[in-house]
Amino acid sequence: MSEQQRDLNALSQVFKNYKAEWLASAVFDFFQEPIYQHELTSNQPCVLYGGRGSGKTTALLGLSYEGFPETPANRRMSSPSELPYYGIFHRVNGISAAEFEGDELNSREWERLFAHYWNLVMIESLTRFARWFIDNEREAINISDKAIYSVASLLLPDSTGILTLETLADGVRAELGALAKKVSSIGDETIGKVSTLGEPVNLFISHLRENKCIGSKGVFYIVDEYENLLTYQQKLVNTLIKYSAPLYTFKVGVRRYGFRTYATLSPIDYLEHPADFVQLTIEEKFTKIEFQKFAKSVCQSRLEQVRGFGGIDLDNLLEKVSLNEEALRLSTESGTVQNAYKIVRETCAKLNCELDIDELDSYILVSYSKHHNVELFSLIRRVEKHWKRWRIHLDNYRYHSLFAIKKGKSGIRKMFAGLPTYSLMADNNIRAFMELIEQAIIHWVNEDPKSDIISAEIQTKAAIYVGERRLKILEGRSLVGNSVCRFVISLGRLFGLMAARTYGGAPETDQFDLPEEYESKSLRGDDAALTIGVLLKEAVMNLALVERTATKPRSPADTKGRDFQIHPIFAAYFAISHRKKRKIRLSERNFLGLVEQPSETIPRMLKTISSDEVEESDLQLDFS
Amino acid sequence: MQGLKFTTCFSSPGRVVFRHDSILLKGAVIDDRGEWSTSCSIPVLDAVEVSGGAFEVLALGKKYSIKLRSPKALEYFILDIKDKFNAIYFDLTTLPHHIWAPTLKLALNLGLEAQAIYAEPIHYTRRNEGFDLSERIQRLKSIPGFASFDDEFEKNFKLITLLGFEGNRFEYVVSKIEPEAWQLFPIIGVPGFQPGFADHVFCQNSVTIEEGRCAQNVRYAAANCPFSLISTLEDIADEDSESLLKIAPLGTKPHALGAFLFGYRSKHRVKYIYDYPVRKMKRSIGLGKVHVYDVYKYLKE
């Protein structure tokens, strides 16, 4: 297929629509069932944790009565009664939820008012569901006038004449309007007659279940963006989550840290995992290989729809380069690596020694010799003598040393290419992966259309572009986005400067943890610790940082620690490693310094880290 | 050109001609232009915000403590003003949206002649490649007195964002509402207060415009003219009269006034979404033109 026939507009249509919310029904044309789908459809309540773009909403929409029959595997179903379960999807409206707060009422009164609002919203969704069922299979379902009236009596201040789904929907709409007016003048109002949390919903669903076609099938109430509820509101809905099964089951979609309380209205009952709900964390459900396979199939199915891209295999389209090849390409202009190889080869010849090393190994040896002020002759002798240990050392530094080849020079400083690399950079986030693929293709078509593959250089440019664009919008993603953004930029610069030194620091340092006393200070309410806590939470929630369970504890007391890494989607932009490797400890002073005074903090940290870590790296090469 | 009928522009605050027996309600002064009212020839009332949901005013020998979601207290205040004065001027330069909008709405409802007044700056304070205007944003919420739960039913809405110099505020609103491309209508103030201002607005918001794929929906209205904004909003609204219009006033105060006036007398369903920025001290430099908008006359026509 020639480059002229590649339809970039169509590509954007299927690729730029990363958001499930944007795709409307088309989301299901490309629906790829995630590997955790069967866990979602169990009859137990389920909380699905996932960052923005992790595919959480798509997975939940796939459970809904609107979505399920649209998914490719289930399109043969012709009537609602064929569905194996019924999911009713509801996205929490944070702006509406925020109205139920203020010093006009006490907390108990706000709870009562919000419970009424929540009932109205749930009944509105259920009414729509029942209407859909009847419209598509009239004879299969019946909800009597009496049943409707009994629900309305529990829900509305005036249920007179409410005997049909339509009048119930009108009544709910009118009551929501009245509630909005009441909230707008809540300082002058009394609460008045309100419904009791969950009561009308239970009754409505009981009536639905009287119909054979629903009977004992799963009825899921799907709540997406749970983080938009205020903490006390979560407590109310948690109560429903805990006690609504088996009548109906909640499926909750929430960002990490978005589930702010597990309390319920009962002071002694908490939502507990696994007794009360199944907990699924999308990022943890996929292994690296599984995610790559899933992400590839998601993109591949989209590409098939676009003129000029059918039949392309992403694996083949994205060029992969070996570390040595990358080193040679990075030093094409300067010849640094090629020269190092020549010098090392000449030295070996003079010493009459045969070392199985390539150009990149040679570059590392020359860098070592310069940094430690060791004659290359004597270094080569040592390497020959302790070959096995040196081979390990060289392998440890091969990836890291690539960052230093173009130190201080313009252009690409490190390549980020190949499907596995893109997959790791996305960190199990499908939207991030699609963004990388789409940009790689756009850069390819615009810059190198005659080539059959997307070169590593083009892929890197695309990855830098994606990182830069994400950084630009990061500031607007959170109430403290400004500070989060400054922190990430400063930390990225710090790690970037560290990466650009082959020696003078531990290789591939790209994570940090916090001092052991941080948790206790935070619990004591220390201001600085609390500020750091808020920034970290927001940074993780908005995919600026990735939180990992510490795998390399610095001390026995550190086993429960958490490590943080700049989200690998930013790796190309900062020219830092996208892999999870070594960490530094970030003191409170340095953390806040990176936010407030980066120009003073970064050089100070570099100086300290350099002296600490040099010792560490030297220890690995103790030849005495 | 309808705006000219209801707008009077003055080259300096000393030239502003006020109505007889009128009063000015102003907020906290945080920059040069906020000082414009120091030489004001009519009585000036200071609205002091005591928390996000309340303000206090010393007037007519009394202290009024007004909760914004308590229309009775607001009504009591407005009726007292109406007893003594024929008209009230709202200083949009210094009053935040969540104080002037509900107060203006009630003043109009109670038949008090209301005018709005706004002083332009010469420059805004810069920070690196952007502008240094807000400490932070506080929350995304409706403006007091304008709550609506309509959208629980509503997938058919348009999000109209009145853009300013802070692209992060636009991004925040879009990331929370998540409109589809066809639903997102950014409005940019063209012409701006000063040459180049419109370019800044475009640059600061360009990434979100691109991400939101809404470049084709961008509309323009003179930055200092609420009436120009109203006609732009009418155009958008008339394209689909069934839509719920969610308007986020993130740009100039005259645009925010236009959004308010549009909603006040429009047949369309309108909801305001606001991010409650904490404004920085000295966010702008200098004092430019002063505009008086005859809100009362506009609504009477």
Side-chain angles (χ1 to χ4, degrees), chain A residues 407-480:
Chain A
K407 183 182 176 183
K409 296 192 175 63
S410 60
I412 292 170
R413 283 185 284 155
K414 164 79 186 72
M415 290 183 188
F416 292 83
L419 203 63
T421 301
Y422 266 22
S423 176
L424 288 174
M425 289 177 77
D427 194 52
N428 290 5
N429 184 290
I430 189 65
R431 199 182 291 172
F433 183 83
M434 289 171 66
E435 207 176 336
L436 286 167
I437 295 291
E438 188 215 359
Q439 284 305 325
I441 292 174
I442 289 175
H443 278 71
W444 169 50
V445 173
N446 288 336
E447 295 181 32
D448 192 19
K450 290 198 163 60
S451 171
D452 289 334
I453 55 162
I454 307 179
S455 70
E457 285 83 357
I458 296 269
Q459 292 178 59
T460 306
K461 280 186 193 174
I464 292 171
Y465 177 83
V466 169
E468 185 178 8
R469 203 166 61 169
R470 284 196 163 224
L471 203 57
K472 278 184 182 164
I473 55 174
L474 188 58
E475 193 175 336
R477 283 288 161 93
S478 141
L479 294 177
V480 291

Side-chain angles (χ1 to χ4, degrees), chain B residues 115-134:
Chain B
Q115 315 274 332
I117 192 159
Y118 179 72
E120 290 181 11
I122 303 293
H123 300 293
Y124 285 103
T125 311
R126 296 206 66 137
R127 188 195 69 191
N128 303 328
E129 291 170 6
F131 290 85
D132 203 15
L133 309 184
S134 305

Side-chain angles (χ1 to χ4, degrees), chain A residues 539-560:
Chain A
V540 172
M541 277 178 88
N542 291 290
L543 304 184
L545 296 177
V546 177
E547 183 185 337
R548 322 259 188 206
T549 308
T551 51
K552 291 177 183 166
R554 285 174 169 258
S555 72
D558 194 26
T559 49
K560 286 183 184 169

Side-chain angles (χ1 to χ4, degrees), chain A residues 311-334:
Chain A
I312 287 179
D313 185 317
L314 271 180
D315 256 331
N316 299 330
L317 183 64
L318 301 178
E319 184 194 20
K320 289 184 277 288
V321 286
S322 69
L323 297 182
N324 197 52
E325 170 68 14
E326 182 175 341
L328 290 168
R329 275 158 71 166
L330 285 171
S331 67
T332 306
E333 284 175 25
S334 64

Side-chain angles (χ1 to χ4, degrees), chain A residues 77-91:
Chain A
M77 292 186 182
S78 57
S79 61
S81 56
E82 287 182 63
L83 266 62
Y85 49 78
Y86 300 99
I88 294 121
F89 183 87
H90 169 67
R91 184 175 171 226

Side-chain angles (χ1 to χ4, degrees), chain B residues 216-273:
Chain B
Q216 72 280 12
N217 289 347
V218 174
R219 307 292 169 91
Y220 305 94
N224 58 18
C225 183
F227 308 102
S228 164
L229 190 273
I230 290 170
S231 88
T232 306
L233 291 175
E234 280 168 351
D235 288 346
I236 297 170
D238 289 343
E239 285 168 18
D240 175 8
S241 55
E242 295 299 306
S243 284
L244 166 69
L245 304 177
K246 298 184 181 185
I247 305 178
L250 313 173
T252 69
K253 286 281 180 63
H255 272 190
L257 176 66
F260 166 83
L261 293 174
F262 170 78
Y264 189 80
R265 73 171 195 186
S266 171
K267 61 182 188 299
H268 300 282
R269 288 173 303 142
V270 176
K271 178 172 184 168
Y272 300 101
I273 293 165

Side-chain angles (χ1 to χ4, degrees), chain A residues 199-447:
Chain A
E199 263 191 8
V201 175
N202 288 351
L203 188 61
F204 195 107
I205 296 176
S206 303
H207 287 309
L208 282 175
R209 283 206 181 281
E210 286 164 9
N211 291 279
K212 257 189 190 167
C213 56
I214 296 180
S216 59
K217 284 183 191 172
V219 174
F220 306 148
Y221 195 78
I222 305 160
V223 184
D224 197 16
E225 304 195 3
Y226 202 66
E227 64 276 7
N228 285 345
L229 291 175
L230 302 175
T231 304
Y232 87 86
Q233 295 166 354
Q234 289 193 351
K235 193 173 78 172
L236 264 70
V237 183
N238 288 350
T239 310
L240 295 180
I241 294 173
K242 190 169 175 80
Y243 298 111
S244 58
L247 184 63
Y248 66 101
T249 310
F250 275 89
K251 306 288 175 186
V252 174
V254 64
R255 284 198 219 169
R256 191 158 199 168
Y257 291 124
F259 220 114
R260 288 185 295 275
T261 179
Y262 291 98
T264 67
L265 283 176
S266 159
I268 52 166
D269 278 338
Y270 285 80
L271 266 187
E272 285 175 43
H273 161 73
D276 297 317
F277 66 96
V278 176
Q279 182 175 304
L280 298 173
T281 304
I282 294 180
E283 285 84 356
E284 290 168 7
K285 290 309 287 183
F286 288 109
T287 62
K288 285 175 192 170
I289 300 294
E290 282 166 346
F291 177 74
Q292 189 180 315
K293 198 175 152 197
F294 170 73
K296 186 186 164 190
S297 69
V298 166
C299 291
Q300 202 81 56
S301 67
R302 279 168 163 78
L303 279 178
E304 292 300 327
Q305 305 294 318
V306 185
R307 185 164 55 87
F309 294 97
I312 287 179
D313 185 317
L314 271 180
D315 256 331
N316 299 330
L317 183 64
L318 301 178
E319 184 194 20
K320 289 184 277 288
V321 286
S322 69
L323 297 182
N324 197 52
E325 170 68 14
E326 182 175 341
L328 290 168
R329 275 158 71 166
L330 285 171
S331 67
T332 306
E333 284 175 25
S334 64
T336 318
V337 174
Q338 290 83 344
N339 288 340
Y341 185 63
K342 196 175 157 203
I343 295 166
V344 170
R345 280 279 152 231
E346 284 168 3
T347 312
C348 286
K350 282 177 192 165
L351 293 171
N352 202 21
C353 84
E354 294 240 347
L355 289 179
D356 182 19
I357 56 173
D358 60 10
E359 287 89 342
L360 180 55
D361 291 333
S362 306
Y363 170 74
I364 297 168
L365 290 176
V366 171
S367 301
Y368 186 94
S369 130
K370 282 181 187 164
H371 183 79
H372 293 277
N373 206 14
V374 182
E375 286 287 339
L376 196 57
F377 277 94
S378 89
L379 180 63
I380 299 285
R381 279 206 191 94
R382 283 195 210 169
V383 173
E384 189 185 25
K385 189 177 169 192
H386 302 282
W387 172 240
K388 277 189 182 167
R389 286 163 76 177
W390 267 99
R391 185 64 262 165
I392 292 168
H393 174 81
L394 290 171
D395 287 342
N396 277 344
Y397 277 81
R398 277 174 77 79
Y399 185 82
H400 174 68
S401 64
L402 294 171
F403 291 89
I405 292 172
K406 281 191 77 174
K407 183 182 176 183
K409 296 192 175 63
S410 60
I412 292 170
R413 283 185 284 155
K414 164 79 186 72
M415 290 183 188
F416 292 83
L419 203 63
T421 301
Y422 266 22
S423 176
L424 288 174
M425 289 177 77
D427 194 52
N428 290 5
N429 184 290
I430 189 65
R431 199 182 291 172
F433 183 83
M434 289 171 66
E435 207 176 336
L436 286 167
I437 295 291
E438 188 215 359
Q439 284 305 325
I441 292 174
I442 289 175
H443 278 71
W444 169 50
V445 173
N446 288 336
E447 295 181 32

